[in-house]
Amino acid sequence: MANINFEKAALAVVPAGLRWVIAILLSVFTLFYLLPTSIAIVRKHRTGIVFTINFLFGWTLIGWIVALVMAFGENLKPQNITIVQVVGSDGRTVE
């Protein structure tokens, strides 16, 4: 049986100049695809969920738009809530 090196065979079919074009196009596509995640990282905003939605559902375009909207969305800060319990003069809780 002949020993075939498929990697060399595949590269021999594609000219060197075209390989560079393909590499650049794939790089640009990847950067554009991960744009919502990059924005979330820069804004330090919901990074994990934006990455998950972008990675799993970004290919649907709707998922990519949802991730982009979440990345640009309002950065919600936790609210400090103070609970005050009022006690009457006889020591019972007033409702």
Side-chain angles (χ1 to χ4, degrees):
M1 192 153 226
N3 190 7
I4 300 173
N5 187 341
F6 289 105
E7 184 177 334
K8 284 185 180 178
L11 291 176
V13 174
V14 181
L18 186 57
R19 278 187 241 151
W20 278 102
V21 171
I22 292 171
I24 290 171
L25 287 175
L26 281 174
S27 298
V28 169
F29 174 76
T30 303
L31 289 174
F32 184 74
Y33 184 78
L34 294 175
L35 182 66
T37 302
S38 302
I39 292 169
I41 290 170
V42 169
R43 295 187 71 213
K44 297 177 182 158
H45 176 66
R46 298 181 185 173
T47 306
I49 191 71
V50 170
F51 172 75
T52 303
I53 290 172
N54 190 21
F55 185 74
L56 296 178
F57 304 110
W59 61 271
T60 64
L61 188 63
I62 292 173
W64 189 86
I65 292 170
V66 167
L68 187 65
V69 167
M70 287 181 71
F72 275 119
E74 184 179 342
N75 197 356
L76 302 174
K77 304 256 184 216
Q79 299 290 328
N80 291 331
I81 299 174
T82 305
I83 299 175
V84 178
Q85 185 176 13
V86 179
V87 178
S89 59
D90 59 352
R92 295 185 315 160
T93 303
V94 178
E95 294 184 24

